[in-house]
Amino acid sequence: MRLGLSLNGILAAAAGALSIAWGAWGLTFRVSDIMSYGFVLLGIGAILFGITDGFSDRTHRGQFLFKIGVLIFLAAALALGYSLLRQF
């Protein structure tokens, strides 16, 4: 299945993959659990953002991924915000 993504969608999906890799590395070495989960969630949200080409896909699949992506971004923001506040 070819998605037909623009360069922005490809870069967002690549940034999401890097964020997931960073979070998985953190979970492997137990650097900071909550922050690592936040990075994994951020990566999943960025991949969904890239797949839907910036949440501009108006199909049923695109609208469903938009709703899931926004919830995942909110969860990532809460996890990352909590972990950053806990460090100070």
Side-chain angles (χ1 to χ4, degrees):
M1 178 176 99
R2 188 170 190 289
L3 296 174
L5 299 176
S6 68
L7 180 62
N8 289 336
I10 293 169
L11 290 176
L18 287 174
S19 179
I20 289 174
W22 183 270
W25 179 83
L27 286 173
T28 303
F29 294 106
R30 310 282 282 166
V31 174
S32 175
D33 290 337
I34 295 173
M35 185 176 284
S36 297
Y37 287 126
F39 277 118
V40 169
L41 288 172
L42 183 69
I44 293 169
I47 288 175
L48 290 176
F49 185 76
I51 287 174
T52 58
D53 221 8
F55 294 138
S56 64
D57 189 4
R58 296 295 172 209
T59 62
H60 292 294
R61 179 186 66 116
Q63 292 300 308
F64 178 71
L65 291 177
F66 168 73
K67 292 173 186 173
I68 299 295
V70 167
L71 291 175
I72 290 175
F73 272 138
L74 287 174
L78 289 174
L80 289 172
Y82 175 75
S83 65
L84 286 174
L85 286 175
R86 196 177 74 180
Q87 287 182 358
F88 293 113

